[in-house]
Amino acid sequence: MESSRRNYQNSAFVNDDGRSTASTVEISATSSVPRDNTTDPEARKSPEERATWGKGIEFLMSCIAMSVGLGNVWRFPFTALDNGGGAFLIPYLIVLFLIGKPIYYLEMVIGQFSSRGSVKVFDLCPAMKGVGAGQAFQVFMLSTYYAALVAIIGRYFIESFRNPLPWATCLAEWGPNCINSAPDASDWLRVDGGDQRLQNYTIKSETERVITSSEWYFVKEVLHELPNIEDGIGLPNWELVLGLFLAWACVFFIIRRGVKSSGKASYFLAIFPYIVMGVLLVRAVTLPGSIDGIYYFIRPQWGKILDPKVWYAAVTQCFYSLSVCFGNIIMYASFNKFGHNVHRDAVIVTSLDTVTSLLAGFTIFGILGHLAHEIGTDDIGTVVKGGAGLAFISYPDAIAKFKSLPQIFSVLFFLMLFVLGIGSNIAMTSCSVTAIRDRFPNFKQWQCSLLIAVVSFMIGLLYITPGGQYMLTLVDFFGASMIALVLGIAELYTVGWIYGTDRLCKDIEFMLGRKVGLYWRLCWSIITPLIMTTILVYFYATYEPLTYNNVIYPSWAYSIGWMITAFGILQLPIWMIVAIIRDPGKTVGAKIRGAFTPKKNWGPMDPLLREQYHKEIENDLTPRRGQGVWAAIKQNIFG
C-alpha cells in the first residue's frame, strides 16, 4: 500500500517548464495549514496569491536590463582610465568575485525563498527591518534623479535628428573662447601622407580656457546652468519638463500591471542596447586611430594597483553597476517561482555586466582614439571630459567630428542610453511599488505605480532647473553613496550572522536541492562584510566636502544633504525600537530576543511548504544550540 505521504506541488514552486523542482518535498496527505496562535497580526494573515514572471527568462532579462545600465557605458570606462587602465581590471575582477557575485546571489536567494519585497524580506530579522526601509527610501531618491538624466538624454535624442547637430558649432552669444566641435574646412591642415588633421585648437591663450561648442550647448542651451546656487536653483526648463514627463510615462506604462507587463518589455530593454552597442563597436574599431584609443584604455599602469583609491573605486563601481544592496534584486527575485535556478542567473548577470563594461570601454575609447587621430594628438586623455559631461559633452563632441552622417551615430547612441536608463528606472520604481504593496496589499498595482510616478515627477522638477545638476550631485552623494554603504553592511551582517550563513545555506538546499560550496559560505560570513566594512572606514576617513565643478555648496545645501543621509540611516534604530516594542515577549530580554528572531510566518509563501520547512529547520538547528560561542561561529561558517 502506498505511503500516506505524497509529493505536494503547486504553481508557486514548480520550475519554469512546469515540472516539479528538486526542492519539492513530501508532505503528509493529512497536513493542513498550520494553526498559529501567535499574537503577531501579520503572522496570522493568509497569504494572497503573488504574481510571478510569465517565464524564467523574463526574470533574467529584467535583471540584465536593471544591472546593465548607464554606469556601464559612461562610468566604467573612465573609472578604469583614472585608476590604472588595464591594471584596474585586476582589482575590479577580484572585487566582482568577492563582493559582486556573493551579494547578487544572496539577494536573489532571500527574495525568491520568501516571496517578499525588499522591506518585508527582513521578516527574517524584524529588528533589522530598517535596512529594507532605508533602502526603499534610497532607491526612491535614486529613481527621481535617474529620470531627470533620462529626460536630458531624451532631449539629445530629439536634437540628434537635426542637420547640422545643434552642438556642432558655436553661437555668437557664447563668446570668443568657444570653438566648434564640428570643424569647418579652414580648421583642417594637410600632413604627410595626404591625411587631413585638425589644427591644435585646445589653447588660444595661456589664461583663457577654450570651451567646445558641445560643452557650451550642454551648459547654456540644455541646462541653462547657474554659476552657483547661492540665490536658489531657478525654475524648470520646459523642454526638459516634457522629457521628464515622457520618462515617467514610459516607466508607468511598463510597470502598471507589475511583472506581467514589465516582464514582456524586458526582452526589448535588455537586448536592444546590445544591438546598438554592437553597431557602434563595429564602427568604432574600423575608424582610423581607434586601436590607439583601445590600447590607451587597457594599458596597465602597474604603479596604481596597490593604491587604496583604486580598490575603493573598484568596489564602488561594482556596487553601483550591479545594483546590489539597493533592494531591486530582492524585489525581482520575489516574483520567481520557488525553485527557479537563481544560482545560474546570478552568474550570468554578474559576468555579463563585466563583459558589457569592457565592450562599452572598447567602443568609447575607439571613438575617442579616432578623435585624437583627427585632432593630431597622441594624448587621448586631452580629449576626454569625465563625470556627467562625459555623456553630454565628450561623446557629442566626438560624434560631431564624424565626417559622414554624424546624425545616425548620435541617434543610435542616445537611443541606447535612453533605453538603458528606462530599464534601470523600471527596477527602482518597481522596488518602491512592491515595498508599498507588500504593506498595503489592497493598493492596486496601477494606482501605486501612478502615485509614485506623479510624486517622483514633481520631485524630479528640481533636477531640471538651472541649479538642477547641483541638486542631482548632492542627492547622489548624500542619498546614495553615504546611505548605501552603511545599509549594505548592515544587510550583510544581518543575513550572515544574525539570521546565519548556515541557516541561509540550509534554505538554499531546501529550495534548490543543491549544497552550498565553501566559497559562498566564506564570502557571506567573513570576506564580503569585512571588505565592505573596510571600504566604509576608508570612505569616512578620506571624506571631503562635496563640490560641483569646484564650486562649494552653500550651508543650506549641505544641511539638506546630511538630513537625507540621516533619514536613511536612522531607519535602523527606529525600526529596531519598533520591533522590540511590538514583540509579544513578556520581559525586555524576551522582546529583544524575539525581535532578532525570524517571524513565525517566515519561510516559503506556500503554507504547506512552509510547515515542512519549519519542521526541517527546527530539527537542524536544535542540536547546534548550547555548544558555546566558538562552536557556533564554526558552525555558521563551515556548516
Side-chain angles (χ1 to χ4, degrees):
M1 185 173 178
E2 193 173 284
S3 169
S4 61
R5 296 172 69 82
R6 64 177 173 86
N7 284 335
Y8 181 79
Q9 201 179 76
N10 74 8
S11 60
F13 53 102
V14 295
N15 212 339
D16 302 324
D17 57 5
R19 296 191 298 269
S20 61
T21 70
S23 63
T24 303
V25 294
E26 291 186 337
I27 307 292
S28 172
T30 58
S31 292
S32 60
V33 176
R35 293 182 176 86
D36 194 350
N37 295 323
T38 180
T39 58
D40 185 356
E42 288 192 23
R44 294 199 306 266
K45 290 180 181 178
S46 58
E48 294 188 358
E49 187 72 21
R50 187 179 182 83
T52 57
W53 299 101
K55 297 179 180 178
I57 190 67
E58 293 180 2
F59 167 69
L60 178 61
M61 289 294 179
S62 296
C63 287
I64 292 172
M66 168 187 64
S67 296
V68 178
L70 299 179
N72 300 82
V73 175
W74 86 49
R75 191 176 190 274
F76 178 85
F78 289 88
T79 299
L81 179 65
D82 293 340
N83 292 278
F88 173 77
L89 297 179
I90 295 175
Y92 179 74
L93 293 174
I94 292 174
V95 165
L96 176 73
F97 187 73
L98 297 179
I99 293 181
K101 288 180 181 291
I103 299 180
Y104 210 97
Y105 185 32
L106 180 148
E107 295 194 330
M108 279 187 169
V109 165
I110 61 175
Q112 177 172 301
F113 180 78
S114 64
S115 298
R116 289 165 167 85
S118 59
V119 177
K120 198 167 177 55
V121 76
F122 284 91
D123 286 352
L124 60 82
C125 180
M128 300 303 291
K129 197 170 188 176
V131 175
Q135 288 176 345
F137 167 72
Q138 167 189 284
V139 82
F140 173 74
M141 297 298 293
L142 282 170
S143 67
T144 60
Y145 78 68
Y146 225 76
L149 288 175
V150 174
I152 298 174
I153 292 169
R155 164 77 183 270
Y156 271 85
F157 172 71
I158 297 298
E159 298 289 356
S160 295
F161 289 93
R162 293 175 57 184
N163 186 18
L165 294 171
W167 56 82
T169 55
C170 297
L171 298 181
E173 57 264 32
W174 293 347
N177 66 328
C178 175
I179 52 100
N180 294 334
S181 289
D184 56 33
S186 63
D187 292 318
W188 296 88
L189 61 89
R190 185 77 58 179
V191 297
D192 293 341
D195 291 336
Q196 282 189 321
R197 288 190 175 181
L198 279 173
Q199 301 180 59
N200 188 353
Y201 65 90
T202 56
I203 298 176
K204 284 188 178 179
S205 71
E206 295 182 357
T207 58
E208 185 178 28
R209 182 173 79 93
V210 172
I211 302 176
T212 64
S213 57
S214 60
E215 183 171 350
W216 276 117
Y217 179 79
F218 178 59
V219 173
K220 297 295 185 181
E221 299 299 313
V222 177
L223 300 181
H224 302 286
E225 190 167 83
L226 298 172
N228 60 68
I229 55 171
E230 291 285 352
D231 300 322
I233 60 175
L235 296 175
N237 178 351
W238 71 268
E239 293 167 310
L240 295 183
V241 170
L242 294 179
L244 186 66
F245 177 82
L246 175 64
W248 279 112
C250 290
V251 171
F252 168 71
F253 280 108
I254 290 174
I255 70 170
R256 72 189 189 282
R257 295 177 59 232
V259 294
K260 293 181 180 179
S261 53
S262 65
K264 301 297 184 292
S266 66
Y267 293 98
F268 174 77
L269 295 171
I271 296 174
F272 178 76
Y274 284 98
I275 297 175
V276 177
M277 198 176 301
V279 172
L280 292 176
L281 177 62
V282 170
R283 180 54 181 151
V285 298
T286 57
L287 292 170
S290 62
I291 301 302
D292 294 333
I294 294 172
Y295 176 71
Y296 188 84
F297 168 54
I298 63 174
R299 182 179 60 199
Q301 300 173 34
W302 298 113
K304 289 190 174 184
I305 198 167
L306 297 179
D307 187 345
K309 293 181 179 180
V310 174
W311 288 85
Y312 172 73
V315 171
T316 52
Q317 174 62 33
C318 182
F319 202 75
Y320 296 115
S321 178
L322 289 174
S323 300
V324 294
C325 296
F326 287 98
N328 303 336
I329 302 166
I330 297 173
M331 176 272 302
Y332 269 165
S334 71
F335 297 107
N336 273 341
K337 294 181 174 70
F338 196 88
H340 176 80
N341 190 353
V342 287
H343 177 271
R344 175 200 61 203
D345 289 353
V347 171
I348 290 174
V349 176
T350 52
S351 301
L352 189 61
D353 183 81
T354 302
V355 171
T356 305
S357 296
L358 293 174
L359 290 178
F362 295 152
T363 303
I364 299 312
F365 276 86
I367 293 174
L368 293 176
H370 170 66
L371 173 57
H373 173 80
E374 296 290 276
I375 293 173
T377 179
D378 294 328
D379 187 2
I380 296 172
T382 61
V383 300
V384 174
K385 181 179 178 65
L390 177 58
F392 304 120
I393 297 176
S394 290
Y395 293 167
D397 184 71
I399 291 172
K401 289 179 172 61
F402 280 27
K403 293 181 180 179
S404 58
L405 299 176
Q407 288 79 13
I408 292 179
F409 293 98
S410 186
V411 167
L412 287 175
F413 178 74
F414 285 107
L415 180 58
M416 176 183 68
L417 290 187
F418 187 86
V419 173
L420 288 172
I422 291 295
S424 296
N425 211 15
I426 284 170
M428 291 186 282
T429 308
S430 296
C431 190
S432 301
V433 171
T434 303
I436 294 174
R437 294 196 70 234
D438 276 353
R439 182 65 181 86
F440 304 102
N442 292 329
F443 203 177
K444 296 184 183 301
Q445 173 75 25
W446 72 267
Q447 293 173 333
C448 191
S449 301
L450 182 61
L451 175 64
I452 291 178
V454 171
V455 172
S456 299
F457 171 80
M458 300 302 294
I459 295 175
L461 294 176
L462 293 172
Y463 307 122
I464 54 175
T465 60
Q469 292 299 301
Y470 289 90
M471 300 307 297
L472 190 152
T473 304
L474 186 79
V475 173
D476 177 61
F477 183 76
F478 287 100
S481 300
M482 297 283 277
I483 298 176
L485 282 173
V486 175
L487 296 183
I489 291 169
E491 175 187 317
L492 291 172
Y493 282 110
T494 298
V495 179
W497 286 99
I498 300 177
Y499 184 73
T501 299
D502 190 43
R503 179 164 181 173
L504 176 66
C505 293
K506 288 181 170 60
D507 293 349
I508 295 172
E509 187 175 351
F510 181 86
M511 179 173 66
L512 302 181
R514 60 184 299 159
K515 291 283 187 181
V516 178
L518 185 61
Y519 157 71
W520 300 107
R521 284 181 171 272
L522 289 175
C523 285
W524 291 332
S525 60
I526 299 177
I527 298 174
T528 306
L530 183 61
I531 294 176
M532 293 290 290
T533 303
T534 303
I535 291 299
L536 179 66
V537 172
Y538 178 81
F539 178 83
Y540 282 106
T542 58
Y543 168 78
E544 295 178 356
L546 180 68
T547 61
Y548 174 73
N549 280 349
N550 297 319
V551 176
I552 298 176
Y553 284 81
S555 298
W556 61 265
Y558 286 118
S559 299
I560 292 175
W562 283 110
M563 286 174 61
I564 292 173
T565 299
F567 185 83
I569 295 177
L570 285 177
Q571 299 300 314
L572 287 171
I574 290 172
W575 286 100
M576 189 177 295
I577 294 171
V578 169
I580 293 172
I581 293 174
R582 285 180 175 178
D583 190 85
K586 301 299 182 183
T587 65
V588 174
K591 283 179 172 289
I592 293 175
R593 287 192 298 272
F596 285 89
T597 302
K599 286 189 175 184
K600 297 291 185 181
N601 66 341
W602 168 255
M605 184 63 70
D606 181 87
L608 297 178
L609 192 60
R610 185 168 64 245
E611 180 185 31
Q612 180 68 17
Y613 164 71
H614 282 167
K615 290 179 180 178
E616 291 194 9
I617 204 69
E618 183 66 21
N619 291 335
D620 285 337
L621 293 177
T622 300
R624 308 298 181 185
R625 295 168 180 163
Q627 293 185 0
V629 175
W630 290 112
I633 292 175
K634 181 180 178 182
Q635 171 66 24
N636 187 55
I637 299 173
F638 299 104

